[in-house]
């Protein structure tokens, strides 16, 4: 891309793309939940005892916030790799 052939640049771009994808998924959660769709990782939801119905209903309990925090933390880890 743009004539750049550097494995380090490719690696950084990969991590930035992953972080952006995670953030986009989180930001779209209210939109999708209004349409009865949930695209959050099931394993993380189960870890915190959160059901798809909890997300669809827009619950704000600590366990739902913990799911969001864990997912956002994954995006942060990708950004740390870039740095």
């Amino acid at each position: 891309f743009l004539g750049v052939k550097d494995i380090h640049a490719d690696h950084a771009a990969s991590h930035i793309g992953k972080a952006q994808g995670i953030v986009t998924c989180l930001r779209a959660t209210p939109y999708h939940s209004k349409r009865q769709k949930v695209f959050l990782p099931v394993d993380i939801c189960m870890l915190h005892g959160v059901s798809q119905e909890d997300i669809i209903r827009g619950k704000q309990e600590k366990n739902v916030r913990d799911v969001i925090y864990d997912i956002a933390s994954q995006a942060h880890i990708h950004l740390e790799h870039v740095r």
Side-chain angles (χ1 to χ4, degrees):
F1 184 69
L2 297 175
V4 176
K5 295 183 179 176
D6 183 318
I7 192 162
H8 300 296
D10 289 345
H11 188 74
S14 173
H15 281 292
I16 290 170
K18 290 172 187 172
Q20 183 178 10
I22 292 168
V23 170
T24 299
C25 180
L26 286 175
R27 290 184 65 214
T29 297
Y31 172 85
H32 290 298
S33 65
K34 289 178 185 173
R35 287 153 183 80
Q36 311 294 303
K37 305 282 185 192
V38 177
F39 297 106
L40 301 178
V42 174
D43 57 335
I44 295 176
C45 290
M46 287 176 53
L47 179 68
H48 293 286
V50 173
S51 68
Q52 287 188 348
E53 196 63 33
D54 293 336
I55 303 297
I56 290 169
R57 289 185 180 165
K59 291 192 174 181
Q60 300 287 320
E61 280 83 17
K62 183 183 181 316
N63 60 341
V64 175
R65 292 192 311 269
D66 289 344
V67 167
I68 302 303
Y69 181 85
D70 281 0
I71 296 169
S73 293
Q74 291 301 310
H76 185 262
I77 288 168
H78 285 292
L79 291 179
E80 287 297 316
H81 283 304
V82 173
R83 289 186 184 118

